[in-house]
Amino acid sequence: MKRNFVFIQLISFGIASLLMSFAHAADSKDPLPSWNDTDIKRNIIKFVTDVTDKTGKHFVDPEDRIATIDNDGTLWIEKPIYTQGVFMLDRIKKLAPEHPEWKTEEPYSYILDDDIKALTNLTVQDIERLIAVTHSRMSVDQFNKIVKIWLKKAKNPQFDRPYTELIYLPMIEVINYLYDNDFKIYIVTGGGQDFVRAFSENTYKIPPENIIGSSIKTEYTYQGSKPILIKLPELFLVSDKKGKAEAINLFIGKKPIIAFGNSDGDREMLEWTESNKERHLMLLVHHDDAKREYAYGPESKVGTFSNALMAEARSHKWNVISMKHDWKTIFP
Amino acid sequence: MKRNFVFIQLISFGIASLLMSFAHAADSKDPLPSWNDTDIKRNIIKFVTDVTDKTGKHFVDPEDRIATIDNDGTLWIEKPIYTQGVFMLDRIKKLAPEHPEWKTEEPYSYILDDDIKALTNLTVQDIERLIAVTHSRMSVDQFNKIVKIWLKKAKNPQFDRPYTELIYLPMIEVINYLYDNDFKIYIVTGGGQDFVRAFSENTYKIPPENIIGSSIKTEYTYQGSKPILIKLPELFLVSDKKGKAEAINLFIGKKPIIAFGNSDGDREMLEWTESNKERHLMLLVHHDDAKREYAYGPESKVGTFSNALMAEARSHKWNVISMKHDWKTIFP
């Protein structure tokens, strides 16, 4: 009996060692293989290691491990124009046969004539009218289906690939790495919440309830006896600049400990993260790779990374990610 | 070598059996001991068993196991008036010394004079003014602290117990039971989101990011170099009636498969849940226990359970929970 007991102990020990060696192998595997071995990568790994180390002074409880990540230009491509903008233009063209009056009616005529110059000078009222026509007066379900169908066939003209493939592999690795370390990950986008919800789960493994974005009002009503939610042509929430910090409070009620952005629209989200009493990390993707993606900054209308933001990033020691130097691979 | 291998297999089998018998013991334990053994309890257990049975036709993926639960009158007491109303009245009294003009200014004077009759006839404008004074012009953090301090000492006059103890034990068991079965649980309250966030994690184990409620606007600004969010005296979102279904879509973007309410304010949330293509369950707590809690229904201003709602519940076969008959115990 005693011998057997010792034997069981030995076997248990063997199994435990085996499991531990597996665990060690998993630990030592590079979680961010598409990142070059620069300071930024080291900072991310050091941060995650610190906040998950139960014995360390920087440990953060899993329920407070909130990550917020911008979408356009941070998780996927945003040039030559925001993908949702392309969707809107395509949608107008698709609906045009039902609206012969659009041929001579601005701003629709600009789109039908491919008048790029006029399109870059649209007024806020123009954009609101376009959003009303393309994003509202249908149910939330219908809109979701329209976006899904569009994303299946739409392609970025420069790369000739679907937009959902023009996502940044290094950031996908960050998402997986954070999930593996019990983070709750939210997308916080200036883009449309319902637009991003249509692809976020399949593309990023981030579910609808973790998408915070700009939205228009909805109204609960009935189609026969069946309840439906209709999207109204009325702006409700703009999740950009100050609105990002406000939306983070509205939807999460906690401050992030890590935040990724890429433009002036993300400034307040990063400041809000920086004000967290727990250990925190702020990062900005800088598009400086004209060869593999795009190089743009303060002068760009889309994804503006102003000199003021760069100055704030430098003085606050935020991590400015150089796509050119810090990312080994860009797209999957 | 062969003998040892067989021996290891036997031990492995023994360990596996042991683990399985523990699992079985856990399974066979009554998850809802404070519920009487009536149809309602059986319906809840049958529902949870069905949606978690991988081999069954009603299986629902864990990510779609969304539960939405009302707060006032469903998770905790709402009589004689909503707890947040008591907080507001107490807050006015506390602030009164700084506002000598309130002695003669309505609606403040009603509160300082304990004029119950006048208080039950406040206008919407009166209530908005009271919310502005008691809930805004401070940071989100400050408000959170004020509510926490108040909840520590405030007591319900009839039961002489803190409000956070006047929660319904059968519902706490439901929360634990749903968590054990990988549900995501959200509170969807007509009450203030920030008010409920101040106690929900400690009281119900439901964290801030899972609280959906009515809210006022916030503004991102700076105190010196430190960013803060200030609560503004301006209504933003009313999460009641139609607004509950709209808020569920805004915050979750998925339909619940199970929803608990207790009043006319929960009607649309239950209808929205009922329209889910997955298996679903709708429940309403009916306060019919004057002896142990309160008995009220269609004639009550607080927590109105109208005859129309009861008719809809009956015709749709929603589960109407009788506190008197279905709950063995009410408070912890």
Side-chain angles (χ1 to χ4, degrees), chain A residues 154-185:
Chain A
K155 285 184 178 182
N156 173 290
Q158 176 153 354
F159 292 91
D160 194 35
R161 286 178 72 177
Y163 291 95
T164 48
E165 289 181 12
L166 294 170
I167 56 179
Y168 306 132
L169 185 59
M171 290 303 298
I172 300 300
E173 290 171 1
V174 163
I175 289 173
N176 290 329
Y177 183 43
L178 295 177
Y179 273 142
D180 286 345
N181 285 282
D182 298 328
F183 278 72
K184 282 194 180 183
I185 306 174

Side-chain angles (χ1 to χ4, degrees), chain A residues 206-317:
Chain A
I206 301 182
E209 61 269 34
N210 287 42
I211 307 304
I212 300 171
S214 299
S215 57
I216 54 179
K217 286 195 180 173
T218 58
E219 191 187 21
Y220 182 87
T221 179
Y222 302 89
Q223 203 167 41
S225 62
K226 197 189 141 209
I228 50 167
L229 276 175
I230 296 293
K231 291 169 74 70
L232 302 181
E234 195 180 338
L235 209 58
F236 180 64
L237 189 156
V238 179
S239 167
D240 197 33
K241 301 184 194 285
K242 289 180 174 194
K244 283 211 177 186
E246 292 158 8
I248 286 170
N249 179 65
L250 177 71
F251 283 84
I252 314 178
K254 293 172 180 171
K255 285 181 184 175
I257 60 169
I258 183 168
F260 289 83
N262 79 302
S263 77
D264 285 17
D266 302 309
R267 186 187 144 204
E268 287 83 356
M269 175 168 77
L270 267 62
E271 290 175 348
W272 193 236
T273 305
E274 191 176 29
S275 73
N276 196 325
K277 283 172 195 161
E278 304 285 356
R279 197 160 168 74
H280 45 257
L281 195 70
M282 289 68 60
L283 305 102
L284 287 167
V285 177
H286 191 217
H287 294 259
D288 58 359
D289 195 332
K291 209 171 155 194
R292 294 187 299 170
E293 202 234 14
Y294 297 99
Y296 55 96
E299 72 298 324
S300 174
K301 271 202 172 187
V302 167
T304 316
F305 193 135
S306 68
N307 292 327
L309 178 65
M310 187 61 91
E312 184 166 349
R314 297 297 181 208
S315 75
H316 287 230
K317 295 196 175 21

Side-chain angles (χ1 to χ4, degrees), chain A residues 184 197 209 220 222 271, chain B residues 184 197 209 222 249 271:
Chain A
K184 282 194 180 183
R197 278 177 171 174
E209 61 269 34
Y220 182 87
Y222 302 89
E271 290 175 348
Chain B
K184 283 197 179 182
R197 278 177 171 172
E209 63 268 34
Y222 302 89
N249 179 64
E271 290 175 347

Side-chain angles (χ1 to χ4, degrees), chain B residues 99-118:
Chain B
H99 299 271
E101 73 281 8
W102 285 356
K103 277 182 190 154
T104 53
E105 193 183 340
E106 297 165 0
Y108 313 106
S109 57
Y110 301 151
I111 296 169
L112 302 179
D113 298 341
D114 286 316
D115 184 345
I116 304 295
K117 203 174 162 217

Side-chain angles (χ1 to χ4, degrees), chain A residues 20-293:
Chain A
M20 279 171 72
S21 67
F22 274 124
H24 184 69
D27 274 351
S28 63
K29 214 188 117 207
D30 181 357
L32 304 173
S34 299
W35 292 69
N36 286 317
D37 192 24
T38 61
D39 279 353
I40 306 277
K41 175 175 176 169
R42 280 189 288 269
N43 290 346
I44 296 171
I45 292 175
K46 173 90 168 67
F47 170 77
V48 172
T49 307
D50 282 354
V51 300
T52 55
D53 175 7
K54 270 188 185 168
T55 62
K57 62 178 174 178
H58 298 303
F59 180 73
V60 177
D61 279 327
E63 60 263 36
D64 293 324
R65 289 183 205 156
I66 305 290
T68 55
I69 311 179
D70 169 57
N71 185 43
D72 294 306
T74 303
L75 285 177
W76 77 351
I77 206 162
E78 63 181 351
K79 284 275 187 181
I81 63 166
Y82 297 119
T83 305
Q84 193 171 359
V86 183
F87 163 77
M88 198 166 70
L89 302 184
D90 280 2
R91 188 82 195 142
I92 292 288
K93 287 179 180 174
K94 174 146 193 173
L95 295 174
E98 299 162 36
H99 299 271
E101 72 281 10
W102 285 356
K103 278 181 189 155
T104 53
E105 193 182 340
E106 297 165 359
Y108 313 105
S109 57
Y110 301 151
I111 296 169
L112 302 179
D113 297 342
D114 285 316
D115 184 345
I116 304 295
K117 203 174 163 217
L119 282 174
T120 54
N121 290 306
L122 292 178
T123 64
V124 173
Q125 286 73 25
D126 285 338
I127 291 169
E128 281 180 355
R129 285 170 71 192
L130 292 173
I131 289 175
V133 169
T134 56
H135 285 65
S136 76
R137 299 194 184 104
M138 64 185 98
S139 75
V140 171
D141 275 357
Q142 281 172 312
F143 180 75
N144 186 282
K145 274 175 204 153
I146 289 168
V147 175
K148 278 187 172 147
I149 290 169
W150 180 81
L151 279 170
K152 267 189 191 160
K153 50 185 186 178
K155 285 184 178 182
N156 173 290
Q158 176 153 354
F159 292 91
D160 194 35
R161 286 178 72 177
Y163 291 95
T164 48
E165 289 181 12
L166 294 170
I167 56 179
Y168 306 132
L169 185 59
M171 290 303 298
I172 300 300
E173 290 171 1
V174 163
I175 289 173
N176 290 329
Y177 183 43
L178 295 177
Y179 273 142
D180 286 345
N181 285 282
D182 298 328
F183 278 72
K184 282 194 180 183
I185 306 174
Y186 292 83
I187 289 180
V188 182
T189 175
Q193 183 182 39
D194 282 349
F195 185 81
V196 177
R197 278 177 171 174
F199 65 91
S200 62
E201 188 142 34
N202 285 337
T203 306
Y204 306 128
K205 291 190 227 159
I206 301 182
E209 61 269 34
N210 287 42
I211 307 304
I212 300 171
S214 299
S215 57
I216 54 179
K217 286 195 180 173
T218 58
E219 191 187 21
Y220 182 87
T221 179
Y222 302 89
Q223 203 167 41
S225 62
K226 197 189 141 209
I228 50 167
L229 276 175
I230 296 293
K231 291 169 74 70
L232 302 181
E234 195 180 338
L235 209 58
F236 180 64
L237 189 156
V238 179
S239 167
D240 197 33
K241 301 184 194 285
K242 289 180 174 194
K244 283 211 177 186
E246 292 158 8
I248 286 170
N249 179 65
L250 177 71
F251 283 84
I252 314 178
K254 293 172 180 171
K255 285 181 184 175
I257 60 169
I258 183 168
F260 289 83
N262 79 302
S263 77
D264 285 17
D266 302 309
R267 186 187 144 204
E268 287 83 356
M269 175 168 77
L270 267 62
E271 290 175 348
W272 193 236
T273 305
E274 191 176 29
S275 73
N276 196 325
K277 283 172 195 161
E278 304 285 356
R279 197 160 168 74
H280 45 257
L281 195 70
M282 289 68 60
L283 305 102
L284 287 167
V285 177
H286 191 217
H287 294 259
D288 58 359
D289 195 332
K291 209 171 155 194
R292 294 187 299 170
E293 202 234 14

